[in-house]
Amino acid sequence: VQLQASGGGLVQTGGSLRLSCVHSGRTLSRYGTGWFRQAPGKEREFVAAIRGNGATIYGDSVKGRFTISRDNAKNTVYLEMNSLKPEDTAVYFCATDTGRTILSSVRHASAYEYWGQGTLVTVSS
């Protein structure tokens, strides 16, 4: 199983970016995919997840601004990020879960078994 995250870059406050996470080795509809982020000196933070059944969950800090979606035909999960703020600056990682993750564990990094390499998002003020 491999995950390849891309789409990061430098954007001004209020701008938008779309991150992509391409999966290989798994059928997306059978597993959940999560996005996490980690800023320098901070712990990894849950951003959003899409369950195998398509249900979506968001972290409180991004709710209403970010949208997670999935294209099963392309084996790709997207994170559309709008109204970006400087505090959104971080390395963003995508990860896929075990396929048996319960809803209450979706926000925890320990529920995910395969991780991509991360893509850097920098929001300038």
Side-chain angles (χ1 to χ4, degrees):
V1 178
Q2 290 187 333
L3 286 79
Q4 181 72 38
S6 63
L10 174 64
V11 64
Q12 292 185 334
T13 297
S16 299
L17 281 174
R18 188 178 77 161
L19 306 184
S20 300
C21 178
V22 180
H23 294 60
S24 60
R26 276 191 168 176
T27 301
L28 278 190
S29 59
R30 297 180 182 177
Y31 298 90
T33 298
W35 284 98
F36 289 76
R37 65 187 182 187
Q38 189 163 19
K42 295 188 176 181
E43 293 186 355
R44 192 163 294 193
E45 176 190 15
F46 171 76
V47 175
I50 184 165
R51 306 269 283 169
N53 63 6
T56 57
I57 303 99
Y58 294 93
D60 291 341
S61 62
V62 306
K63 202 172 294 183
R65 300 188 297 124
F66 291 11
T67 302
I68 189 169
S69 62
R70 185 175 70 200
D71 185 332
N72 290 339
K74 295 183 178 180
N75 251 20
T76 302
V77 172
Y78 301 100
L79 184 69
E80 185 75 34
M81 305 185 297
N82 298 314
S83 302
L84 283 162
K85 306 174 182 179
E87 50 264 45
D88 294 318
T89 295
V91 177
Y92 284 70
F93 299 88
C94 60
T96 181
D97 69 15
T98 65
R100 301 178 298 277
T101 302
I102 59 176
L103 185 59
S104 60
S105 298
V106 166
R107 298 169 184 263
H108 301 282
S110 59
Y112 297 83
E113 57 180 347
Y114 294 102
W115 291 78
Q117 84 289 358
T119 185
L120 176 63
V121 172
T122 304
V123 184
S124 63
S125 56

